[in-house]
Amino acid sequence: PGPSGLVAKTHVFRERPYYLHNYVQATFDCMGRKKLKGSTLVVSGDGRYYNAEALQIVLKVAAANRVKKVVLGRGGLLSTPAASNLIRTRREKRMLGGFILSASNYP
């Protein structure tokens, strides 16, 4: 969806059933099933509140969409610039992009 991503308070993700699930699935739907099958994504967060739970949701939706490989920081943690760098420079044939769970505005 671009560098602006999904902007919402944490309580919105926690209180509205399947809010994050639907956002991730909608993003995958835009990519198309053929691109997703066998692809690689970077998925990581900066460790803020709800990070671990949100990462699990993204990983489950990615698996359901037949994403083959996920590059994930240790413990699910990567700084926003580090995750962005991996997405832009990783030399994998099937690297599609990623989900960065952060409050940062770094593109």
Side-chain angles (χ1 to χ4, degrees), residues 4-63:
S4 62
L6 180 63
V7 180
K9 300 281 185 187
T10 303
H11 72 87
V12 173
F13 295 105
R14 294 187 60 101
E15 294 170 5
R16 293 188 186 170
Y18 303 106
Y19 187 83
L20 181 56
H21 299 75
N22 290 331
Y23 176 78
V24 174
Q25 185 59 53
T27 302
F28 286 153
D29 288 345
C30 290
M31 291 178 177
R33 292 207 182 268
K34 285 185 180 182
K35 279 188 177 181
L36 283 171
K37 185 179 177 183
S39 66
T40 302
L41 295 173
V42 173
V43 178
S44 206
D46 61 7
R48 295 173 198 261
Y49 182 68
Y50 193 60
N51 189 69
E53 295 92 336
L55 284 171
Q56 288 298 313
I57 291 168
V58 174
L59 292 172
K60 288 175 184 176
V61 176

Side-chain angles (χ1 to χ4, degrees), residues 53-97:
E53 295 92 336
L55 284 171
Q56 288 298 313
I57 291 168
V58 174
L59 292 172
K60 288 175 184 176
V61 176
N65 282 277
R66 302 177 80 182
V67 171
K68 184 177 183 178
K69 183 178 176 183
V70 174
V71 178
L72 185 67
R74 180 175 285 170
L77 303 176
L78 276 176
S79 68
T80 302
S84 179
N85 182 59
L86 282 174
I87 293 167
R88 294 174 187 190
T89 63
R90 192 80 179 226
R91 300 288 185 234
E92 293 192 28
K93 189 166 86 172
R94 302 280 299 171
M95 176 67 76
L96 282 184

